[in-house]
PDB file of all heavy atoms in Angstrom:
ATOM      1  N   LYS Q 178    -140.902 -53.738 -15.363  1.00 84.00           N
ATOM      2  CA  LYS Q 178    -141.839 -53.608 -16.477  1.00 84.00           C
ATOM      3  C   LYS Q 178    -141.127 -53.547 -17.821  1.00 84.00           C
ATOM      4  O   LYS Q 178    -141.645 -53.984 -18.846  1.00 84.00           O
ATOM      5  CB  LYS Q 178    -142.713 -52.376 -16.275  1.00 84.00           C
ATOM      6  CG  LYS Q 178    -143.661 -52.494 -15.094  1.00 84.00           C
ATOM      7  CD  LYS Q 178    -144.530 -51.249 -14.939  1.00 84.00           C
ATOM      8  CE  LYS Q 178    -145.472 -51.388 -13.750  1.00 84.00           C
ATOM      9  NZ  LYS Q 178    -146.320 -50.172 -13.568  1.00 84.00           N
ATOM     10  N   SER Q 179    -139.932 -52.982 -17.818  1.00 75.00           N
ATOM     11  CA  SER Q 179    -139.169 -52.912 -19.068  1.00 75.00           C
ATOM     12  C   SER Q 179    -137.706 -53.214 -18.776  1.00 75.00           C
ATOM     13  O   SER Q 179    -137.230 -52.992 -17.669  1.00 75.00           O
ATOM     14  CB  SER Q 179    -139.295 -51.521 -19.697  1.00 75.00           C
ATOM     15  OG  SER Q 179    -138.751 -50.531 -18.838  1.00 75.00           O
ATOM     16  N   GLU Q 180    -137.042 -53.744 -19.763  1.00 76.00           N
ATOM     17  CA  GLU Q 180    -135.619 -54.074 -19.635  1.00 76.00           C
ATOM     18  C   GLU Q 180    -134.851 -53.342 -20.729  1.00 76.00           C
ATOM     19  O   GLU Q 180    -135.235 -53.378 -21.900  1.00 76.00           O
ATOM     20  CB  GLU Q 180    -135.409 -55.583 -19.747  1.00 76.00           C
ATOM     21  CG  GLU Q 180    -136.121 -56.375 -18.648  1.00 76.00           C
ATOM     22  CD  GLU Q 180    -135.962 -57.880 -18.821  1.00 76.00           C
ATOM     23  OE1 GLU Q 180    -135.474 -58.305 -19.881  1.00 76.00           O
ATOM     24  OE2 GLU Q 180    -136.329 -58.613 -17.893  1.00 76.00           O
ATOM     25  N   ASP Q 181    -133.781 -52.664 -20.320  1.00 77.00           N
ATOM     26  CA  ASP Q 181    -133.035 -51.850 -21.289  1.00 77.00           C
ATOM     27  C   ASP Q 181    -131.630 -52.384 -21.556  1.00 77.00           C
ATOM     28  O   ASP Q 181    -130.712 -51.623 -21.803  1.00 77.00           O
ATOM     29  CB  ASP Q 181    -132.957 -50.398 -20.804  1.00 77.00           C
ATOM     30  CG  ASP Q 181    -132.319 -50.275 -19.423  1.00 77.00           C
ATOM     31  OD1 ASP Q 181    -131.975 -51.321 -18.834  1.00 77.00           O
ATOM     32  OD2 ASP Q 181    -132.170 -49.137 -18.949  1.00 77.00           O
ATOM     33  N   PHE Q 182    -131.498 -53.723 -21.487  1.00 84.00           N
ATOM     34  CA  PHE Q 182    -130.172 -54.286 -21.735  1.00 84.00           C
ATOM     35  C   PHE Q 182    -130.138 -55.223 -22.944  1.00 84.00           C
ATOM     36  O   PHE Q 182    -129.204 -56.014 -23.108  1.00 84.00           O
ATOM     37  CB  PHE Q 182    -129.645 -55.020 -20.492  1.00 84.00           C
ATOM     38  CG  PHE Q 182    -130.558 -56.088 -19.958  1.00 84.00           C
ATOM     39  CD1 PHE Q 182    -130.510 -57.378 -20.460  1.00 84.00           C
ATOM     40  CD2 PHE Q 182    -131.453 -55.808 -18.949  1.00 84.00           C
ATOM     41  CE1 PHE Q 182    -131.333 -58.369 -19.964  1.00 84.00           C
ATOM     42  CE2 PHE Q 182    -132.284 -56.797 -18.432  1.00 84.00           C
ATOM     43  CZ  PHE Q 182    -132.223 -58.080 -18.940  1.00 84.00           C
ATOM     44  N   ALA Q 183    -131.126 -55.141 -23.790  1.00 84.00           N
ATOM     45  CA  ALA Q 183    -131.125 -55.963 -25.001  1.00 84.00           C
ATOM     46  C   ALA Q 183    -129.920 -55.625 -25.867  1.00 84.00           C
ATOM     47  O   ALA Q 183    -129.599 -54.456 -26.083  1.00 84.00           O
ATOM     48  CB  ALA Q 183    -132.411 -55.721 -25.792  1.00 84.00           C
ATOM     49  N   GLY Q 184    -129.220 -56.645 -26.324  1.00 89.00           N
ATOM     50  CA  GLY Q 184    -128.057 -56.435 -27.182  1.00 89.00           C
ATOM     51  C   GLY Q 184    -126.768 -56.178 -26.435  1.00 89.00           C
ATOM     52  O   GLY Q 184    -125.712 -56.005 -27.056  1.00 89.00           O
ATOM     53  N   VAL Q 185    -126.846 -56.146 -25.091  1.00 96.00           N
ATOM     54  CA  VAL Q 185    -125.636 -55.934 -24.287  1.00 96.00           C
ATOM     55  C   VAL Q 185    -125.192 -57.273 -23.703  1.00 96.00           C
ATOM     56  O   VAL Q 185    -125.989 -57.981 -23.074  1.00 96.00           O
ATOM     57  CB  VAL Q 185    -125.889 -54.938 -23.138  1.00 96.00           C
ATOM     58  CG1 VAL Q 185    -124.612 -54.707 -22.337  1.00 96.00           C
ATOM     59  CG2 VAL Q 185    -126.428 -53.621 -23.675  1.00 96.00           C
ATOM     60  N   SER Q 186    -123.936 -57.640 -23.915  1.00 96.00           N
ATOM     61  CA  SER Q 186    -123.414 -58.874 -23.334  1.00 96.00           C
ATOM     62  C   SER Q 186    -122.748 -58.561 -21.998  1.00 96.00           C
ATOM     63  O   SER Q 186    -122.179 -57.474 -21.817  1.00 96.00           O
ATOM     64  CB  SER Q 186    -122.404 -59.539 -24.278  1.00 96.00           C
ATOM     65  OG  SER Q 186    -121.254 -58.727 -24.434  1.00 96.00           O
ATOM     66  N   PHE Q 187    -122.834 -59.505 -21.083  1.00 97.00           N
ATOM     67  CA  PHE Q 187    -122.275 -59.307 -19.738  1.00 97.00           C
ATOM     68  C   PHE Q 187    -121.189 -60.337 -19.444  1.00 97.00           C
ATOM     69  O   PHE Q 187    -121.329 -61.516 -19.772  1.00 97.00           O
ATOM     70  CB  PHE Q 187    -123.374 -59.429 -18.681  1.00 97.00           C
ATOM     71  CG  PHE Q 187    -124.192 -58.177 -18.514  1.00 97.00           C
ATOM     72  CD1 PHE Q 187    -125.220 -57.889 -19.398  1.00 97.00           C
ATOM     73  CD2 PHE Q 187    -123.920 -57.277 -17.487  1.00 97.00           C
ATOM     74  CE1 PHE Q 187    -125.976 -56.737 -19.263  1.00 97.00           C
ATOM     75  CE2 PHE Q 187    -124.666 -56.121 -17.345  1.00 97.00           C
ATOM     76  CZ  PHE Q 187    -125.694 -55.845 -18.227  1.00 97.00           C
ATOM     77  N   GLN Q 188    -120.129 -59.853 -18.818  1.00 96.00           N
ATOM     78  CA  GLN Q 188    -119.080 -60.726 -18.296  1.00 96.00           C
ATOM     79  C   GLN Q 188    -118.881 -60.388 -16.826  1.00 96.00           C
ATOM     80  O   GLN Q 188    -118.833 -59.211 -16.450  1.00 96.00           O
ATOM     81  CB  GLN Q 188    -117.764 -60.525 -19.047  1.00 96.00           C
ATOM     82  CG  GLN Q 188    -117.782 -61.027 -20.482  1.00 96.00           C
ATOM     83  CD  GLN Q 188    -116.425 -60.894 -21.151  1.00 96.00           C
ATOM     84  OE1 GLN Q 188    -115.744 -59.879 -21.006  1.00 96.00           O
ATOM     85  NE2 GLN Q 188    -116.034 -61.908 -21.888  1.00 96.00           N
ATOM     86  N   PHE Q 189    -118.783 -61.416 -16.013  1.00 97.00           N
ATOM     87  CA  PHE Q 189    -118.608 -61.237 -14.577  1.00 97.00           C
ATOM     88  C   PHE Q 189    -117.213 -61.712 -14.209  1.00 97.00           C
ATOM     89  O   PHE Q 189    -116.899 -62.902 -14.276  1.00 97.00           O
ATOM     90  CB  PHE Q 189    -119.697 -62.001 -13.824  1.00 97.00           C
ATOM     91  CG  PHE Q 189    -121.075 -61.672 -14.339  1.00 97.00           C
ATOM     92  CD1 PHE Q 189    -121.831 -62.619 -15.014  1.00 97.00           C
ATOM     93  CD2 PHE Q 189    -121.595 -60.393 -14.202  1.00 97.00           C
ATOM     94  CE1 PHE Q 189    -123.085 -62.313 -15.510  1.00 97.00           C
ATOM     95  CE2 PHE Q 189    -122.848 -60.066 -14.701  1.00 97.00           C
ATOM     96  CZ  PHE Q 189    -123.595 -61.026 -15.360  1.00 97.00           C
ATOM     97  N   ALA Q 190    -116.360 -60.761 -13.868  1.00 95.00           N
ATOM     98  CA  ALA Q 190    -114.937 -61.027 -13.681  1.00 95.00           C
ATOM     99  C   ALA Q 190    -114.604 -61.248 -12.215  1.00 95.00           C
ATOM    100  O   ALA Q 190    -114.825 -60.365 -11.378  1.00 95.00           O
ATOM    101  CB  ALA Q 190    -114.116 -59.859 -14.229  1.00 95.00           C
ATOM    102  N   CYS Q 191    -114.091 -62.433 -11.918  1.00 91.00           N
ATOM    103  CA  CYS Q 191    -113.715 -62.728 -10.534  1.00 91.00           C
ATOM    104  C   CYS Q 191    -112.568 -63.728 -10.516  1.00 91.00           C
ATOM    105  O   CYS Q 191    -112.214 -64.308 -11.538  1.00 91.00           O
ATOM    106  CB  CYS Q 191    -114.902 -63.269  -9.747  1.00 91.00           C
ATOM    107  SG  CYS Q 191    -115.562 -64.834 -10.361  1.00 91.00           S
ATOM    108  N   ASP Q 192    -111.998 -63.920  -9.342  1.00 83.00           N
ATOM    109  CA  ASP Q 192    -110.865 -64.841  -9.229  1.00 83.00           C
ATOM    110  C   ASP Q 192    -111.165 -66.003  -8.286  1.00 83.00           C
ATOM    111  O   ASP Q 192    -110.261 -66.645  -7.763  1.00 83.00           O
ATOM    112  CB  ASP Q 192    -109.607 -64.088  -8.760  1.00 83.00           C
ATOM    113  CG  ASP Q 192    -109.774 -63.503  -7.357  1.00 83.00           C
ATOM    114  OD1 ASP Q 192    -110.909 -63.495  -6.845  1.00 83.00           O
ATOM    115  OD2 ASP Q 192    -108.771 -63.059  -6.774  1.00 83.00           O
ATOM    116  N   VAL Q 193    -112.462 -66.278  -8.039  1.00 87.00           N
ATOM    117  CA  VAL Q 193    -112.842 -67.403  -7.196  1.00 87.00           C
ATOM    118  C   VAL Q 193    -113.846 -68.280  -7.940  1.00 87.00           C
ATOM    119  O   VAL Q 193    -114.490 -67.842  -8.898  1.00 87.00           O
ATOM    120  CB  VAL Q 193    -113.463 -66.944  -5.856  1.00 87.00           C
ATOM    121  CG1 VAL Q 193    -112.473 -66.083  -5.077  1.00 87.00           C
ATOM    122  CG2 VAL Q 193    -114.764 -66.186  -6.078  1.00 87.00           C
ATOM    123  N   THR Q 194    -113.982 -69.517  -7.472  1.00 91.00           N
ATOM    124  CA  THR Q 194    -114.924 -70.451  -8.102  1.00 91.00           C
ATOM    125  C   THR Q 194    -115.960 -70.953  -7.100  1.00 91.00           C
ATOM    126  O   THR Q 194    -116.630 -71.950  -7.340  1.00 91.00           O
ATOM    127  CB  THR Q 194    -114.168 -71.659  -8.696  1.00 91.00           C
ATOM    128  OG1 THR Q 194    -113.407 -72.298  -7.661  1.00 91.00           O
ATOM    129  CG2 THR Q 194    -113.242 -71.218  -9.815  1.00 91.00           C
ATOM    130  N   ASN Q 195    -116.105 -70.261  -5.983  1.00 94.00           N
ATOM    131  CA  ASN Q 195    -117.020 -70.708  -4.930  1.00 94.00           C
ATOM    132  C   ASN Q 195    -118.473 -70.717  -5.403  1.00 94.00           C
ATOM    133  O   ASN Q 195    -118.910 -69.821  -6.123  1.00 94.00           O
ATOM    134  CB  ASN Q 195    -116.901 -69.802  -3.708  1.00 94.00           C
ATOM    135  CG  ASN Q 195    -115.506 -69.817  -3.123  1.00 94.00           C
ATOM    136  OD1 ASN Q 195    -114.585 -69.258  -3.711  1.00 94.00           O
ATOM    137  ND2 ASN Q 195    -115.350 -70.458  -1.989  1.00 94.00           N
ATOM    138  N   PRO Q 196    -119.242 -71.714  -4.964  1.00 96.00           N
ATOM    139  CA  PRO Q 196    -120.655 -71.789  -5.344  1.00 96.00           C
ATOM    140  C   PRO Q 196    -121.486 -70.750  -4.593  1.00 96.00           C
ATOM    141  O   PRO Q 196    -121.003 -70.063  -3.697  1.00 96.00           O
ATOM    142  CB  PRO Q 196    -121.043 -73.210  -4.941  1.00 96.00           C
ATOM    143  CG  PRO Q 196    -120.129 -73.530  -3.803  1.00 96.00           C
ATOM    144  CD  PRO Q 196    -118.819 -72.872  -4.151  1.00 96.00           C
ATOM    145  N   PHE Q 197    -122.751 -70.670  -4.934  1.00 98.00           N
ATOM    146  CA  PHE Q 197    -123.659 -69.665  -4.375  1.00 98.00           C
ATOM    147  C   PHE Q 197    -123.873 -69.892  -2.870  1.00 98.00           C
ATOM    148  O   PHE Q 197    -123.868 -68.939  -2.083  1.00 98.00           O
ATOM    149  CB  PHE Q 197    -124.984 -69.737  -5.124  1.00 98.00           C
ATOM    150  CG  PHE Q 197    -125.847 -68.512  -5.012  1.00 98.00           C
ATOM    151  CD1 PHE Q 197    -125.390 -67.274  -5.445  1.00 98.00           C
ATOM    152  CD2 PHE Q 197    -127.141 -68.607  -4.512  1.00 98.00           C
ATOM    153  CE1 PHE Q 197    -126.203 -66.145  -5.366  1.00 98.00           C
ATOM    154  CE2 PHE Q 197    -127.961 -67.483  -4.435  1.00 98.00           C
ATOM    155  CZ  PHE Q 197    -127.490 -66.252  -4.851  1.00 98.00           C
ATOM    156  N   PHE Q 198    -124.075 -71.146  -2.484  1.00 98.00           N
ATOM    157  CA  PHE Q 198    -124.323 -71.448  -1.070  1.00 98.00           C
ATOM    158  C   PHE Q 198    -123.633 -72.746  -0.693  1.00 98.00           C
ATOM    159  O   PHE Q 198    -122.989 -73.388  -1.528  1.00 98.00           O
ATOM    160  CB  PHE Q 198    -125.841 -71.537  -0.786  1.00 98.00           C
ATOM    161  CG  PHE Q 198    -126.571 -72.547  -1.644  1.00 98.00           C
ATOM    162  CD1 PHE Q 198    -126.504 -73.909  -1.370  1.00 98.00           C
ATOM    163  CD2 PHE Q 198    -127.320 -72.137  -2.735  1.00 98.00           C
ATOM    164  CE1 PHE Q 198    -127.155 -74.843  -2.161  1.00 98.00           C
ATOM    165  CE2 PHE Q 198    -128.000 -73.059  -3.531  1.00 98.00           C
ATOM    166  CZ  PHE Q 198    -127.912 -74.414  -3.236  1.00 98.00           C
ATOM    167  N   GLY Q 199    -123.760 -73.157   0.583  1.00 97.00           N
ATOM    168  CA  GLY Q 199    -123.144 -74.401   1.031  1.00 97.00           C
ATOM    169  C   GLY Q 199    -121.851 -74.170   1.787  1.00 97.00           C
ATOM    170  O   GLY Q 199    -121.456 -73.033   2.069  1.00 97.00           O
ATOM    171  N   LYS Q 200    -121.149 -75.254   2.099  1.00 96.00           N
ATOM    172  CA  LYS Q 200    -119.949 -75.160   2.934  1.00 96.00           C
ATOM    173  C   LYS Q 200    -118.822 -74.369   2.278  1.00 96.00           C
ATOM    174  O   LYS Q 200    -117.951 -73.837   2.968  1.00 96.00           O
ATOM    175  CB  LYS Q 200    -119.458 -76.557   3.310  1.00 96.00           C
ATOM    176  CG  LYS Q 200    -118.973 -77.406   2.142  1.00 96.00           C
ATOM    177  CD  LYS Q 200    -118.466 -78.758   2.638  1.00 96.00           C
ATOM    178  CE  LYS Q 200    -117.930 -79.615   1.495  1.00 96.00           C
ATOM    179  NZ  LYS Q 200    -117.415 -80.915   1.980  1.00 96.00           N
ATOM    180  N   ASN Q 201    -118.823 -74.282   0.960  1.00 95.00           N
ATOM    181  CA  ASN Q 201    -117.821 -73.485   0.247  1.00 95.00           C
ATOM    182  C   ASN Q 201    -118.448 -72.252  -0.413  1.00 95.00           C
ATOM    183  O   ASN Q 201    -117.837 -71.632  -1.275  1.00 95.00           O
ATOM    184  CB  ASN Q 201    -117.129 -74.338  -0.830  1.00 95.00           C
ATOM    185  CG  ASN Q 201    -116.326 -75.467  -0.237  1.00 95.00           C
ATOM    186  OD1 ASN Q 201    -115.577 -75.269   0.716  1.00 95.00           O
ATOM    187  ND2 ASN Q 201    -116.484 -76.672  -0.780  1.00 95.00           N
ATOM    188  N   GLY Q 202    -119.660 -71.934   0.004  1.00 96.00           N
ATOM    189  CA  GLY Q 202    -120.399 -70.850  -0.632  1.00 96.00           C
ATOM    190  C   GLY Q 202    -120.077 -69.468  -0.103  1.00 96.00           C
ATOM    191  O   GLY Q 202    -119.205 -69.272   0.741  1.00 96.00           O
TER     192      GLY Q 202
END
Side-chain angles (χ1 to χ4, degrees):
K178 293 181 180 179
S179 62
E180 298 177 350
D181 57 358
F182 55 86
V185 181
S186 65
F187 279 81
Q188 291 184 317
F189 309 112
C191 63
D192 64 349
V193 301
T194 57
N195 299 72
F197 200 60
F198 56 78
K200 65 178 182 179
N201 295 314

